[in-house]
Amino acid sequence: MPSPTQTPSFAVIPGAEVDRALTGRHIEVTGIIEDAYRLHGAGGTVNPPSYFLRFPDRPDARIIALPASVGGDIAVDGIKWISSFPGNITSGLPRASAVLILNDPATGYPLACVESSIISASRTAASAALAARRLSEARGVRPRRVGYIGTGLIARYVHDFLAGTGWEFDEIGVHDLEAEYAHRFAGTVGATAGDANVTVHDGAESLIRGSDLVVFATVAATPHIDHPGWFAHDPLVLHLSLRDLGTDVVLSAANFVDDVEHCLKAGTSPHLAEQRVGHRDFIEGTLHDVLTGAAGVPDDKPVIFSPFGLGVLDLALGKYVYDTVQETGRLDLVEGFFHETRRYG
């Protein structure tokens, strides 16, 4: 970090450098995310509410601002600016795109603009892999059958992080409203699935009933699954897309979130459940509570992890990328980016 007496510098870190810094480091990245969760739970971060920019003429699109500050050894401030335009999918573009601005906590000056779609996907997948491991350990049972509902980039990253952190499955189920996407995803995961049987399901019910670990990674805007009986075998559910599950399913399960205040808003499934019953007693705790042993995890009902997505995770991973690129000597500084650097000229 530059000191307040140094001329501030500004770097641009493109996606290729981000990918180079993170590829193959699933265990290390998951450790960074776990450390960030622990720091957040201990009060070492600032994570204000996210701001949603919506468009009357494009109701399915949004851009979200996630400002945050991470203390401790990470020591970085900043903001993530991430768009979600589902219509991109029809033209072959990913739904989401993002940049991350890192700020020097000593001066407030921006340090870098980092391509962040890879960071965002990686922190989401690492969070999912971490939750799957810790919740499974607390239950005493490790799932052997995984099912993916929604087969886009996030699902691919989650599968990579599960595999990269030591998970092996006997069966892998896949379902998407677009059959073509489901079959393409099945081919991708099948290439690295070993002896696992990969099955494309025509509907969500058969996939859920046949999976011990269910991953929701859709673009659903409102709940579309509200059948508690489908979850009667008590699976572990990673509800990453937040709006798939009806309130009957939520209220029949043990629910864990990343941050209660952040998750119970903006029409998420837990938020709708709170509005229905008028309380939050159905929330068992946060992932930090599980990490520290402050919350138990039952094995006699479905367990749902619903992470809203914390900006502190993006900053922690973005700072790691910045440091890694800087150490390799590949940091691309923009000369003269800050033109007025003397208060009195």
Side-chain angles (χ1 to χ4, degrees), residues 275-310:
Q275 292 177 324
R276 172 179 166 182
V277 299
H279 60 75
R280 299 177 171 183
D281 296 346
F282 59 91
I283 301 293
E284 301 282 342
T286 65
L287 182 56
H288 179 261
D289 293 330
V290 176
L291 294 175
T292 59
V297 183
D299 59 5
D300 59 351
K301 62 171 62 176
V303 171
I304 301 173
F305 176 58
S306 300
F308 192 79
L310 301 176

Side-chain angles (χ1 to χ4, degrees), residues 326-342:
Q326 186 177 51
E327 289 169 4
T328 61
R330 300 175 66 92
L331 195 63
D332 186 12
L333 297 178
V334 180
E335 297 296 335
F337 185 83
F338 299 109
H339 181 64
E340 287 285 358
T341 57
R342 295 183 180 182

